[in-house]
């Protein structure tokens, strides 16, 4: 699926948190209703069957409880997408990435083959549908997540190219699949942030470390020999650039992928390089944009939400904008689009409880609602999504606001900005109040009750703000209709 990921190391964030964030987008011409749930150990399957690839495998006993953002409508599998387990380890999966024919010829993807002419079906490998469910309930550190998923990939393979993030209090790891069975992973430097559109992103890899101490790099068994056998290393200086070796180099990247990375880097490092004009160091079509950078200032949750909601504000490429002569408007695929299904910003905070900031539907018009992660239930407003459109849940309310605001953008944008600022400010205020209560709570049971109470109160606040905003944008849309009339016209 077309998604966008951002990762923030603990020394690059405003409060010492590690943060992983990802937009989950549907394919062209569709969207997928999502919900936010807590999965109890007894709800976790012990024998798993993938809906898409028909792969079957047994899972370990004693899984951990975890949160997830699965599909709300049954049919294509769980797609748990993003969550935090009770060991305070997080995962988001997946960022669909691209490769090249040399890689896919050397290690083909493991695709499902249905029965044909007496031949039994051949299961495929694991994919985005499966990964969170197969990995997150069984890991206690981000490194363990890399190793568990890596072992599954080497054994069962995958039918698609994907990037996956793992996070704990101290570390963030980014894993990219290479062909059907190989993979590599790099630890995000503590003082850096990472931006990832839908293309293989890691631009430097230390194979000696991956084969030795694994301080900052890990890789699949035999990756080095496999690369040598198939002549995949394209470097002239002996420094492996995985993006060159394993990634795509298509013209489509310059419309679909690199512009998103360019805008995020341009926003967070506006003075580090020249991003605009004929003398620009980096353009929306540059193939050598850095995978990670040290930001010019510490990064906040609001910064992450902003860049992952981007429609190229302040540039000639903004489909809503009036910047320039309009000839470049809508030239590149934006980050905040109508096919956004959710955004999860997972913030593992030092000395405080972990929070998941959740946005549903188009990020250009959505808010981020903070939810404490260590819970055994989630508020109905975020959990009761079905396929039926209803203003009584967060997903469909967000979807309706986005549809109406998009159709009346110039008049509705003020209401959207007020809605986003209001929910963010109230969210922070409620977190501050409950953080203090949690710090003073006498035991685990009291803390759990407080987290549930906080999430319920935050959800009620978001529901009220959403209903009020929905009315405002509906009014703007109605007043702009061609057959609208005032009372004096009657």
């Amino acid at each position: 699926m077309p998604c966008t990921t951002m990762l923030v190391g603990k020394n690059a964030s405003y409060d010492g948190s590690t943060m992983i964030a990802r937009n989950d987008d549907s394919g062209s011409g569709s969207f997928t209703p999502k919900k936010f749930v807590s999965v109890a150990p007894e709800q976790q399957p012990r024998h798993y069957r993938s809906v898409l690839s028909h792969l079957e495998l047994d899972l370990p006993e004693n899984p951990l409880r975890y949160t997830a953002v699965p599909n709300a409508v049954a049919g294509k599998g769980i797609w748990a997408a993003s969550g935090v387990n009770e060991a305070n380890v997080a995962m988001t999966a997946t960022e669909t990435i691209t490769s090249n024919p040399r890689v896919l010829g050397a290690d083909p993807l493991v695709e499902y083959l249905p029965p044909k002419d007496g031949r039994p079906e051949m299961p495929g490998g694991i994919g985005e549908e499966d990964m969170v469910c197969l990995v997150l309930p069984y890991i206690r550190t981000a490194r363990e997540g890399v190793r568990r998923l890596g072992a599954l990939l080497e054994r069962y393979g995958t039918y698609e190219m994907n990037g996956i993030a793992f996070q704990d209090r101290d570390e963030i790891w980014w894993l990219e699949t290479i062909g059907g069975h190989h993979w590599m992973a790099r630890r995000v430097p503590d003082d850096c942030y990472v931006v990832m559109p839908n293309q293989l992103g890691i631009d430097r890899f230390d194979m000696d470390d991956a084969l030795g101490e694994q301080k900052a790099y890990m890789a699949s068994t035999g990756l080095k020999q496999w690369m040598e056998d198939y002549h995949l290393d394209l470097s002239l200086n002996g420094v492996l650039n995985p993006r060159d070796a394993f990634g795509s180099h298509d013209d489509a990247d310059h419309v679909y992928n690199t512009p998103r990375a360019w805008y995020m880097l341009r926003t967070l490092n506006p003075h580090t390089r020249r991003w605009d004009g004929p003398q620009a160091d980096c353009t929306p079509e540059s193939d050598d944009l850095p995978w990670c950078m040290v930001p010019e200032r510490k990064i906040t949750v609001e910064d992450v939400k902003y860049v992952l909601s981007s429609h190229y504000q302040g540039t000639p490429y903004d489909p809503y904008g009036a910047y320039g002569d309009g000839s470049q408007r809508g030239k590149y695929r934006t980050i905040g689009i109508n096919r956004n299904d959710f955004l999860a910003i997972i913030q593992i905070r030092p000395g405080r409880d972990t929070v998941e900031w959740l946005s549903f539907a188009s990020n250009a018009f959505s808010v981020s609602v903070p939810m404490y992660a260590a819970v055994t239930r989630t508020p109905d407003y975020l959990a009761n999504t079905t396929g039926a459109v209803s203003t009584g849940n967060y997903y469909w309310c967000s979807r309706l606001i986005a549809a109406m605001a998009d159709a009346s953008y110039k008049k509705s944008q003020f209401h959207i900005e007020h809605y986003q600022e209001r929910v963010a400010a109230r969210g922070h205020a409620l977190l501050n109040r409950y953080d203090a209560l949690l710090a003073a709570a006498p035991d685990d049971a009291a803390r759990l009750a407080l987290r549930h109470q906080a999430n319920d109160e935050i959800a009620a606040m978001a529901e009220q703000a959403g209903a009020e905003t929905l009315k405002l944008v509906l009014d703007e849309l109605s007043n702009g209709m061609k057959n609208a009339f005032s009372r004096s016209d009657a």
Side-chain angles (χ1 to χ4, degrees):
M1 295 296 175
C3 310
T4 309
T5 295
M6 182 172 175
L7 316 171
V8 183
K10 60 185 179 183
N11 295 338
S13 73
Y14 73 108
D15 65 346
S17 299
T18 54
M19 290 191 280
I20 64 174
R22 183 175 63 90
N23 289 350
D24 183 270
D25 304 340
S26 290
S28 179
S30 65
F31 54 80
T32 304
K34 304 293 284 188
K35 58 185 179 180
F36 175 57
V37 300
S38 175
V39 182
E42 57 269 22
Q43 295 173 303
Q44 178 70 3
R46 298 307 191 268
H47 182 79
Y48 183 85
R49 177 180 170 86
S50 173
V51 172
L52 296 185
S53 69
H54 295 200
L55 175 68
E56 296 191 48
L57 66 158
D58 291 324
L59 296 176
E61 294 294 331
N62 303 316
L64 300 171
R65 182 184 300 276
Y66 64 103
T67 57
V69 191
N71 289 359
V73 179
K76 295 184 179 180
I78 298 172
W79 297 79
S82 183
V84 185
N85 69 24
E86 62 183 289
N88 206 28
V89 178
M91 176 182 180
T92 184
T94 69
E95 179 79 25
T96 305
I97 59 177
T98 51
S99 189
N100 63 65
R102 296 181 307 282
V103 169
L104 299 179
D107 184 14
L109 298 174
V110 184
E111 299 178 339
Y112 168 70
L113 297 176
K116 184 179 180 180
D117 299 330
R119 181 198 68 198
E121 72 171 8
M122 299 292 291
I126 61 175
E128 182 171 351
E129 170 198 349
D130 317 299
M131 288 183 181
V132 170
C133 183
L134 297 183
V135 176
L136 185 58
Y138 310 104
I139 58 176
R140 294 185 176 275
T141 66
R143 286 174 180 263
E144 282 187 20
V146 172
R147 292 184 177 119
R148 174 165 174 78
L149 179 57
L152 290 170
L153 290 167
E154 291 180 48
R155 179 173 180 180
Y156 298 106
T158 182
Y159 54 84
E160 58 188 355
M161 293 282 293
N162 284 310
I164 301 96
F166 297 96
Q167 167 196 25
D168 57 35
R169 168 64 192 86
D170 293 312
E171 295 187 341
I172 299 172
W173 283 82
W174 177 250
L175 182 151
E176 294 182 330
T177 63
I178 306 168
H181 298 85
H182 284 290
W183 58 272
M184 61 184 175
R186 182 177 172 185
R187 183 176 183 260
V188 176
D190 292 338
D191 61 348
C192 289
Y193 69 96
V194 168
V195 297
M196 277 295 306
N198 296 111
Q199 59 186 153
L200 194 139
I202 297 175
D203 55 7
R204 185 184 182 281
F205 196 82
D206 186 339
M207 188 64 73
D208 290 337
D209 181 58
L211 296 175
E213 295 185 73
Q214 299 183 344
K215 290 182 177 179
Y217 300 87
M218 287 188 271
S220 54
T221 304
L223 179 64
K224 183 177 181 180
Q225 186 62 52
W226 175 75
M227 290 173 54
E228 293 175 358
D229 290 344
Y230 292 97
H231 312 289
L232 295 174
D233 186 354
L234 303 182
S235 66
L236 293 173
N237 60 3
V239 178
L240 174 61
N241 184 328
R243 191 184 300 172
D244 288 343
F246 310 129
S248 60
H249 307 281
D250 300 330
D251 293 338
D253 284 332
H254 298 153
V255 173
Y256 199 78
N257 291 321
T258 55
R260 284 181 275 156
W262 168 82
Y263 188 84
M264 290 189 281
L265 295 168
R266 175 184 182 271
T267 301
L268 297 170
N269 282 78
H271 306 105
T272 304
R273 299 187 181 184
R274 288 176 295 183
W275 303 99
D276 301 285
Q279 303 300 318
D281 302 312
C282 302
T283 76
E285 300 185 16
S286 294
D287 289 319
D288 58 352
L289 295 170
W291 178 72
C292 66
M293 288 190 78
V294 177
E296 292 182 12
R297 63 167 178 79
K298 292 188 175 183
I299 296 173
T300 67
V301 171
E302 288 72 36
D303 293 327
V304 177
K305 173 64 168 70
Y306 181 83
V307 296
L308 289 178
S309 302
S310 160
H311 46 87
Y312 303 138
Q313 303 93 306
T315 77
Y317 316 117
D318 184 356
Y320 299 110
Y323 190 99
D325 62 7
S327 63
Q328 302 295 299
R329 191 176 303 159
K331 180 178 180 179
Y332 300 122
R333 190 266 198 198
T334 60
I335 302 172
I337 56 173
N338 64 340
R339 293 183 284 111
N340 296 143
D341 291 324
F342 81 88
L343 163 63
I345 307 170
I346 300 177
Q347 184 185 16
I348 298 184
R349 305 181 300 166
R352 294 174 295 167
D353 287 61
T354 293
V355 172
E356 297 181 69
W357 297 80
L358 296 167
S359 306
F360 285 170
S362 175
N363 289 336
F365 307 103
S366 68
V367 296
S368 278
V369 175
M371 290 280 112
Y372 285 107
V375 293
T376 58
R377 63 170 179 81
T378 57
D380 285 345
Y381 186 58
L382 281 78
N384 70 358
T385 313
T386 67
V389 178
S390 168
T391 57
N393 65 68
Y394 184 41
Y395 178 85
W396 285 114
C397 184
S398 300
R399 181 64 68 192
L400 290 169
I401 288 172
M404 294 177 189
D406 177 87
S408 57
Y409 182 83
K410 290 183 179 179
K411 292 183 177 181
S412 294
Q413 188 57 18
F414 168 78
H415 302 307
I416 296 300
E417 289 179 357
H418 178 70
Y419 174 45
Q420 291 169 337
E421 292 174 1
R422 174 187 178 191
V423 171
R426 292 187 178 182
H428 278 293
L430 287 166
L431 287 180
N432 290 337
R433 176 156 64 87
Y434 277 97
D435 283 345
L437 293 172
L438 286 164
D443 52 40
D444 289 344
R447 282 188 284 274
L448 178 61
L450 282 170
R451 288 191 290 269
H452 286 158
Q453 182 180 327
N455 285 357
D456 289 341
E457 188 170 348
I458 292 168
M461 175 272 294
E463 183 172 9
Q464 180 181 352
E468 293 171 358
T469 303
L470 184 58
K471 180 182 183 302
L472 291 170
V473 297
L474 177 58
D475 288 344
E476 297 291 3
L477 181 62
S478 299
N479 290 333
M481 294 174 68
K482 291 181 179 180
N483 66 346
F485 63 91
S486 66
R487 185 175 297 275
S488 61
D489 296 323

